[in-house]
């Protein structure tokens, strides 16, 4: 059996054949019957390897069961690679040795063990320096193995290929030029390994060459001179600019330090700070355009290399002016006070204006606040100088003090302004006359005032000041009835208090009209006056005086009437006069006592006593009546008269009378007419009485009473005492009415003669009849008062 096994059959196939590919016809090559292969259970036994082949028992062919990879079967890099197998047959047993040579194909590309190779080469390395590179490997053998290397294009590097004793290819990188890191810091090269197969296969690796820096470049600024603008008054910390110097080196050789050089002034270094690491320039101090318009800085940038290199530049900082300075006003000359009578155009002050800013920020305008209301103007005299002048007349009494606000404003954005206040006092001149509060004063004074009584206080006003407003009051002299006004009134020269120097009597003086002047103390003095009208007011200070029927002091008036008197017969008429006026002189009459109230009546207004019935035989022959005459004043004053009425059977002579011839005073036409009229009326009344007496035959005929011519002429020629004072006093003091005097004449005529009863008037009682229009009457005054009647 072993003998049969000694024969070896060899086949050669390329690797990587597809499954089912034909290798050889074993039945033919081994001389076996194809039909016996199944019967003899032919099988294939691969020695020390995986079963890559199989026998097709139907055809006797040796076919590929699985792809064969030569590199996985033959690990060693040899030129020949065999796969040994045995074909075993049974019945009888027979073994055939088969060797299958696996032929290499170029199915593997060269592969570098390191896909990327890093090299650090100093830029100072001289050309020709060699650097070993990692070789590529190829699993194929023979011609399919690595044949050569290629390097990507580079002007600085090339390769040198070496062949080892085993035929392997080795490659070195050779520096062919001077390196400059600043120009080319990193070189990326591609190394390609190519085998000798057809078609050839290749593999690549990346070579990254880092050029190591040396400090061969000085720092450089982008420009040698920088110009930058910065606003004045910029806040501390404001970034002016950032310097950016560059150094083509790297690492510490490129790390820069910024600093001022010795050419930079200390003042500049105080205003600006320089960051040594970043090159940032910031504001550190106060920037004032008015002090410095620009700053110059010399700066260097130095690297940190072993042998440091440096670069330089100059930075010029221009300061931009801001409107940060307020304009200023300076008063060069000033008049702090002016008299109010200064002329228009008078110089008050010289003012200068300035502003430290420049351009529009330094242009200023000077104005007056409330210019339209002030009597002043500004006139520009020269550049930066103004004159303040009086433009309107001044009046201290309108405005005595001016606070003039000068406002200066620049033309900056926003504009700044400054105010300066000038205080100007206006001095007074005596240009205003004093004036009373009213031009006409009416003062009512009640009569019987005490001497020295304050009547009123007159006040005048003078708007001037000091002595120009000090006023003196005095009464302008005027004589009244040979009496000076200063004897009646007095005025306080300092305050204008007006006093009465005497006691006034309404029944004598009714009013006074005079002038009061006030004068200031200026130079020259100015004055004005007012009119004062003093009106004396009546007081109820006079008691009514009963003038009819007349009776002696304290005596009883007796009246005789016939008992045959009819109802309504006028028995008597009580007439009372009152020297007061108006209400105080209105007299009313009342019966205070009466014997028989049914027999007589009294008219309260005219004082007539009349019978209310005819006498009877029961009535007493004598009746007593007490009549009171009372005025209308407050309090009321009164006078009484007692009348005793006797009744007779026939007419009897009238009661005794006391004749009082009237003194001749003044005879006027009016009095003449009145006397003639009264005489005619009396004559008619006398005739009427005579007729009535004749008709009553039971009574004796009374004798006719005739008025002697002499007496009649005396009556006619006698006139009442008339006061020659003003008509106002005469009219207002007219107490006796026409009816009174008419009644008086009727009563006296009945008694047979015209007489005027002399009333009992105390000497100096102050009573006088100022006017008796239609009759004659009593007149008696004191000597002192007679002079006032004119």
């Amino acid at each position: 059996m072993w003998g049969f096994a000694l024969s070896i059959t060899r086949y050669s196939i390329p690797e990587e054949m597809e499954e089912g590919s034909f290798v050889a016809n074993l039945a033919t090559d081994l001389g076996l019957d194809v039909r016996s292969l199944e019967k003899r259970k032919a099988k294939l036994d691969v020695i020390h390897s995986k079963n890559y082949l199989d026998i097709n028992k139907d055809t006797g062919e040796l076919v590929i069961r699985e792809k064969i990879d030569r590199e996985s079967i033959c690990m060693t890099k040899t030129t020949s690679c065999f796969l040994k197998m045995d074909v075993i047959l049974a019945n009888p047993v027979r073994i055939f040795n088969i060797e299958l040579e696996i032929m290499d194909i170029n199915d593997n590309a060269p592969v570098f063990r390191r896909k990327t190779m890093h090299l650090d080469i100093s830029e100072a390395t001289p050309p020709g320096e060699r650097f070993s590179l990692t070789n590529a490997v190829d699993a194929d053998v023979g011609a399919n193995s690595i044949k050569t290397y290629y390097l990507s294009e580079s002007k600085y590097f090339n390769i040198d290929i070496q062949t080892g004793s085993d035929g392997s290819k080795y490659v070195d990188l050779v520096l062919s030029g001077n390196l400059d890191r600043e120009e080319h810091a990193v070189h990326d090269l591609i190394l390609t390994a190519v085998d000798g197969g057809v078609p050839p296969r290749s593999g690549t690796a990346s070579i990254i060459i880092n050029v190591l820096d040396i400090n061969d470049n000085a720092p450089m600024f982008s420009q040698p001179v920088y110009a930058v603008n910065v606003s004045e008054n910029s806040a501390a910390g404001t970034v002016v600019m950032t310097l950016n110097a560059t150094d083509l080196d790297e690492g510490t050789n490129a790390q820069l330090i910024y600093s001022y050089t010795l050419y930079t002034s200390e003042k500049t270094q105080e205003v600006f700070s320089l960051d040594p690491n970043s090159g940032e320039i910031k504001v550190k101090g106060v920037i004032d355009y008015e002090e410095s318009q620009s700053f110059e800085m010399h700066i260097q940038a130095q690297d940190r290399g072993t042998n440091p290199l440096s670069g330089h530049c100059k930075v010029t900082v221009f300061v931009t002016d801001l409107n940060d300075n307020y304009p200023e006003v300076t008063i060069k000359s000033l008049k702090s006070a002016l008299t109010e009578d200064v002329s228009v155009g008078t110089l008050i002050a010289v003012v200068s204006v300035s502003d430290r800013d420049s351009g529009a920020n330094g242009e200023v305008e000077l104005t007056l606040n409330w210019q339209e209301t002030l009597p002043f103007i500004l006139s520009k005299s020269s550049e930066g100088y103004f004159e303040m002048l009086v433009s309107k007349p001044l009046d201290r009494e309108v405005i005595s003090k001016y606070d003039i606000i000068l406002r200066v404003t620049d033309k900056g954005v926003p504009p700044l302004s400054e105010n300066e206040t000038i205080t100007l006092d206006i001095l007074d001149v005596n240009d205003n006359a004093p004036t009373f509060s009213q031009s006409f004063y009416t003062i009512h004074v009640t009569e019987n005032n005490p001497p020295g009584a304050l009547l009123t206080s007159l006040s005048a006003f003078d708007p001037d000041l000091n002595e120009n407003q000090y006023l003196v009051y005095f009464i302008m002299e005027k004589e009244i009835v040979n009496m000076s006004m200063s004897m009646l009134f007095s005025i306080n020269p300092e305050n204008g208090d007006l006093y009465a120097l005497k006691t006034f009597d309404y029944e004598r003086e009714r009013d006074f009209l005079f002038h009061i002047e006030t004068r200031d103390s200026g130079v020259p003095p100015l004055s004005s006056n007012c009119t004062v009208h003093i009106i004396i007011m009546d007081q109820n200070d006079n008691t009514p005086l009963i003038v009819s029927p007349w009776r002696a002091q304290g005596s009883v008036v007796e009246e005789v009437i016939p008992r045959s008197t009819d109802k309504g017969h006028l028995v008597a008429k009580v007439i009372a006069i009152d020297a007061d006026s108006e209400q105080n002189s209105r007299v009313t009459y009342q019966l205070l006592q009466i014997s028989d109230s049914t027999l007589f009546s009294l008219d309260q207004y005219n004082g007539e006593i009349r019978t209310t019935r005819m006498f009877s035989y029961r009535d007493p022959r004598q009746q007593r009546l007490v009549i009171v005459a009372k005025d209308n004043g407050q309090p009321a004053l009164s006078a009484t008269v007692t009348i005793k009425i006797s009744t007779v059977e026939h007419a009897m002579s009238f009661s005794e009378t006391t004749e009082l011839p009237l003194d001749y005073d003044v005879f006027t036409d009016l009095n003449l007419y009145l006397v003639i009229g009264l005489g005619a009326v009396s004559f008619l009344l006398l005739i009427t009485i005579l007729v009535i007496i004749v008709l009553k035959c039971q009574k004796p005929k009374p004798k006719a009473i005739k008025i002697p011519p002499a007496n009649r002429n005396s009556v006619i020629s006698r006139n009442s005492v008339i006061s020659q004072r003003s008509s106002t006093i005469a009219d207002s003091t007219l107490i006796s009415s026409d009816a009174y005097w008419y009644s008086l004449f009727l009563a006296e005529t009945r008694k047979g003669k015209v007489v005027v009863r002399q009333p009992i008037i105390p000497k100096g009682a102050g009573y006088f009849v100022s006017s008796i229009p239609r009759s004659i009457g009593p007149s008696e005054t004191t000597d002192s008062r007679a002079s006032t009647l004119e």
Side-chain angles (χ1 to χ4, degrees):
M1 291 176 63
W2 290 107
F4 287 109
L6 291 176
S7 60
I8 299 174
T9 303
R10 290 193 172 93
Y11 297 102
S12 295
I13 63 171
E15 60 178 333
E16 301 295 333
M17 291 182 66
E18 297 294 330
E19 294 180 3
S21 298
F22 172 80
V23 176
N25 194 327
L26 286 178
T28 302
D29 293 339
L30 296 178
L32 299 174
D33 185 5
V34 175
R35 293 187 296 267
S36 63
L37 294 177
E38 182 68 30
K39 294 178 180 180
R40 296 182 66 181
K41 300 179 180 180
K43 66 176 182 179
L44 187 64
D45 184 17
V46 179
I47 303 172
H48 306 299
S49 181
K50 188 178 179 180
N51 190 5
Y52 292 100
L53 303 173
D54 197 6
I55 299 173
N56 188 341
K57 294 177 182 180
D58 294 332
T59 62
E61 294 177 351
L62 182 64
V63 294
I64 300 299
R65 182 181 180 183
E66 185 179 344
K67 278 186 178 183
I68 301 173
D69 185 9
R70 179 182 178 280
E71 286 74 29
S72 62
I73 296 175
C74 299
M75 297 297 183
T76 60
K77 197 171 180 65
T78 58
T79 58
S80 59
C81 179
F82 292 94
L83 183 63
K84 294 180 180 182
M85 297 173 292
D86 291 335
V87 178
I88 302 173
L89 298 174
N91 300 320
V93 176
R94 192 174 178 182
I95 299 172
F96 297 96
N97 295 322
I98 297 174
E99 288 185 357
L100 182 62
E101 183 180 8
I102 306 301
M103 303 295 291
D104 183 43
I105 66 173
N106 193 21
D107 59 343
N108 291 286
V111 176
F112 287 93
R113 296 186 182 93
R114 293 168 59 188
K115 289 293 185 180
T116 302
M117 291 174 281
H118 292 275
L119 295 177
D120 293 331
I121 303 175
S122 173
E123 62 178 329
T125 303
E129 189 74 21
R130 303 174 69 90
F131 303 93
S132 296
L133 300 176
T134 302
N135 294 333
V137 294
D138 194 334
D140 296 328
V141 296
N144 293 328
S145 63
I146 295 173
K147 182 180 181 181
T148 187
Y149 290 92
Y150 297 101
L151 184 65
S152 58
E153 184 178 358
S154 173
K155 65 178 181 178
Y156 297 102
F157 298 95
N158 55 33
I159 57 174
D160 183 23
I161 301 173
Q162 303 290 331
T163 303
S165 58
D166 58 353
S168 299
K169 302 293 186 180
Y170 301 98
V171 63
D172 290 334
L173 184 66
V174 181
L175 179 62
S176 59
N178 293 318
L179 296 176
D180 188 352
R181 192 206 63 81
E182 290 72 34
E183 182 181 349
H184 210 158
V186 178
H187 297 267
D188 291 330
L189 303 176
I190 301 298
L191 180 62
T192 304
V194 181
D195 62 17
V198 178
R201 290 179 175 269
S202 62
T204 61
S206 176
I207 302 175
I208 298 176
I209 301 172
N210 292 318
V211 180
L212 301 179
D213 183 52
I214 62 173
N215 194 20
D216 58 342
N217 291 282
M220 293 184 63
F221 290 94
S222 59
Q223 56 193 72
V225 178
Y226 294 89
V228 65
N229 294 323
V230 64
S231 299
E232 67 171 327
N233 300 327
S234 295
T238 302
V239 177
V240 178
M241 69 174 300
T242 300
L243 294 173
N244 187 18
T246 57
D247 192 323
L248 298 178
D249 297 325
E250 66 176 0
T252 57
N253 297 327
Q255 294 178 1
L256 304 180
I257 299 176
Y258 298 90
S259 62
Y260 291 115
T261 67
L262 297 176
Y263 298 107
T264 304
S265 66
E266 292 183 359
K267 180 180 178 181
T268 302
Q269 296 183 39
E270 291 174 356
V271 175
F272 300 97
S273 65
L274 175 63
D275 190 304
N277 297 319
S278 65
E280 191 175 62
I281 301 175
K282 293 182 179 180
V283 175
K284 181 173 68 173
V286 178
I287 302 176
D288 190 353
Y289 175 86
E290 287 68 39
E291 292 185 3
S292 297
Q293 287 76 44
S294 64
F295 297 89
E296 192 173 88
M297 291 175 276
H298 297 270
I299 298 174
Q300 72 172 4
Q302 189 177 48
D303 60 29
R304 296 177 183 268
T306 305
N307 297 312
L309 302 177
S310 61
H312 298 81
C313 73
K314 183 174 73 172
V315 177
T316 302
V317 179
F318 294 99
V319 180
T320 302
D321 182 37
L322 292 180
N323 193 21
D324 61 334
N325 288 283
Y326 285 85
E328 297 178 353
V329 181
T330 304
I331 308 300
K332 296 298 184 181
S333 66
L334 172 66
K335 293 180 180 179
S336 59
L338 290 176
T339 58
E340 59 180 324
D341 60 346
V342 296
S343 60
V344 174
T346 300
L347 177 65
I348 301 173
V350 176
V351 182
S352 68
V353 294
S354 61
D355 194 318
R356 295 180 61 197
D357 294 322
S358 62
N361 297 331
E363 298 178 9
V364 296
E365 292 181 348
L366 182 64
T367 57
L368 290 176
N369 276 13
W370 309 103
Q371 169 72 65
E372 60 277 1
T373 62
L374 293 176
F376 311 107
I377 58 172
L378 288 172
S379 176
K380 189 172 183 179
S381 58
S382 60
E383 187 63 32
Y385 283 86
F386 292 84
E387 292 179 345
M388 188 167 69
L389 308 174
V390 177
S391 62
K392 300 175 184 177
L394 303 178
D395 189 349
R396 190 209 62 80
E397 287 70 39
V398 176
I399 299 177
S400 61
K401 181 179 181 181
Y402 289 93
D403 290 325
I404 307 169
I405 300 177
L406 297 170
R407 185 178 183 86
V408 59
T409 306
D410 61 27
K411 296 183 179 180
V413 179
L416 299 178
S417 61
E418 188 66 41
N419 295 338
E420 180 71 23
T421 301
I422 296 176
T423 299
L424 181 63
D425 293 320
I426 307 302
L427 302 179
D428 185 52
V429 297
N430 193 24
D431 59 342
N432 291 279
T435 57
F436 285 93
S437 56
Q438 55 193 77
S439 60
F440 191 91
Y441 291 86
T442 301
I443 303 170
H444 294 83
V445 180
T446 304
E447 65 173 332
N448 301 318
N449 59 289
L454 176 65
L455 303 182
T456 187
S457 181
L458 304 178
S459 63
F461 174 72
D462 192 324
D464 294 325
L465 284 180
N466 303 326
E467 66 276 0
N468 295 330
Q469 70 169 176
Y470 295 152
L471 304 181
V472 177
Y473 300 87
F474 56 91
I475 298 174
M476 299 177 69
E477 287 297 337
K478 176 183 178 183
E479 289 190 359
I480 298 178
V481 193
N482 298 324
M483 183 176 291
S484 172
M485 192 60 64
S486 61
M487 299 176 63
L488 301 176
F489 302 97
S490 172
I491 190 169
N492 189 320
E494 294 182 355
N495 57 23
D497 289 345
L498 182 65
Y499 299 92
L501 297 181
K502 61 168 288 185
T503 300
F504 296 110
D505 188 355
Y506 175 82
E507 287 71 39
R508 294 182 183 179
E509 304 97 0
R510 297 299 172 87
D511 66 343
F512 300 94
L513 192 67
F514 57 93
H515 299 287
I516 291 179
E517 180 175 319
T518 180
R519 182 180 301 162
D520 61 28
S521 301
V523 178
L526 301 177
S527 63
S528 66
N529 60 69
C530 69
T531 302
V532 178
H533 185 200
I534 305 292
I535 298 177
I536 309 301
M537 304 294 293
D538 183 42
Q539 265 190 344
N540 192 22
D541 58 341
N542 291 283
T543 303
L545 179 64
I546 298 175
V547 297
S548 177
W550 180 89
R551 88 279 189 205
Q553 181 72 25
S555 63
V556 178
V557 177
E558 294 185 0
E559 294 288 345
V560 178
I561 62 173
R563 290 184 66 84
S564 61
T565 301
D566 293 331
K567 175 184 177 181
H569 176 72
L570 177 64
V571 178
K573 181 170 184 177
V574 179
I575 299 176
I577 59 175
D578 195 316
D580 295 323
S581 66
E582 298 180 357
Q583 295 295 330
N584 297 329
S585 66
R586 294 181 182 179
V587 179
T588 58
Y589 305 91
Q590 295 178 1
L591 283 170
L592 189 61
Q593 293 179 8
I594 184 170
S595 301
D596 188 349
S597 61
T598 63
L599 188 56
F600 300 100
S601 66
L602 175 65
D603 190 310
Q604 64 174 342
Y605 297 110
N606 58 23
E608 292 180 350
I609 303 173
R610 293 181 181 273
T611 58
T612 58
R613 61 179 175 82
M614 294 185 66
F615 287 93
S616 67
Y617 66 94
R618 296 186 184 87
D619 294 326
R621 291 187 175 276
Q622 291 185 346
Q623 300 287 334
R624 186 173 181 274
L625 283 72
V626 178
I627 310 299
V628 60
K630 183 170 62 175
D631 60 25
N632 201 31
Q634 293 294 332
L637 301 178
S638 63
T640 59
V641 61
T642 302
I643 301 176
K644 182 179 179 182
I645 301 175
S646 301
T647 59
V648 295
E649 295 298 331
H650 55 84
M652 297 179 66
S653 61
F654 292 99
S655 60
E656 293 184 356
T657 60
T658 303
E659 295 184 2
L660 175 67
L662 294 176
D663 295 334
Y664 177 81
D665 191 0
V666 179
F667 191 78
T668 64
D669 292 340
L670 177 60
N671 291 338
L672 177 62
Y673 297 151
L674 292 176
V675 171
I676 293 173
L678 290 175
V681 172
S682 299
F683 178 73
L684 293 176
L685 179 62
L686 181 60
I687 294 176
T688 303
I689 293 174
L690 291 176
V691 171
I692 293 173
I693 294 174
V694 170
L695 292 177
K696 295 182 179 294
C697 295
Q698 70 275 15
K699 294 184 179 179
K701 183 177 180 181
K703 295 180 180 181
I705 301 175
K706 297 181 180 179
I707 302 175
N711 291 340
R712 184 180 297 114
N713 293 334
S714 176
V715 170
I716 295 174
S717 63
R718 299 301 193 268
N719 288 316
S720 63
V721 180
I722 302 173
S723 172
Q724 294 303 314
R725 297 189 58 185
S726 64
S727 61
T728 303
I729 298 177
D731 294 341
S732 63
T733 58
L734 181 58
I735 306 304
S736 303
S737 64
D738 293 346
Y740 158 66
W741 293 108
Y742 174 68
S743 300
L744 179 62
F745 272 90
L746 289 181
E748 300 303 329
T749 304
R750 287 168 45 196
K751 298 181 180 180
K753 57 181 177 180
V754 179
V755 297
V756 176
R757 296 184 184 277
Q758 173 64 52
I760 305 302
I761 300 176
K763 191 70 173 179
Y767 168 80
F768 69 94
V769 178
S770 62
S771 177
I772 304 175
R774 292 183 174 85
S775 182
I776 58 176
S779 175
E780 181 174 344
T781 66
T782 61
D783 295 337
S784 63
R785 294 183 178 180
S787 63
T788 64
L789 300 176
E790 184 175 354

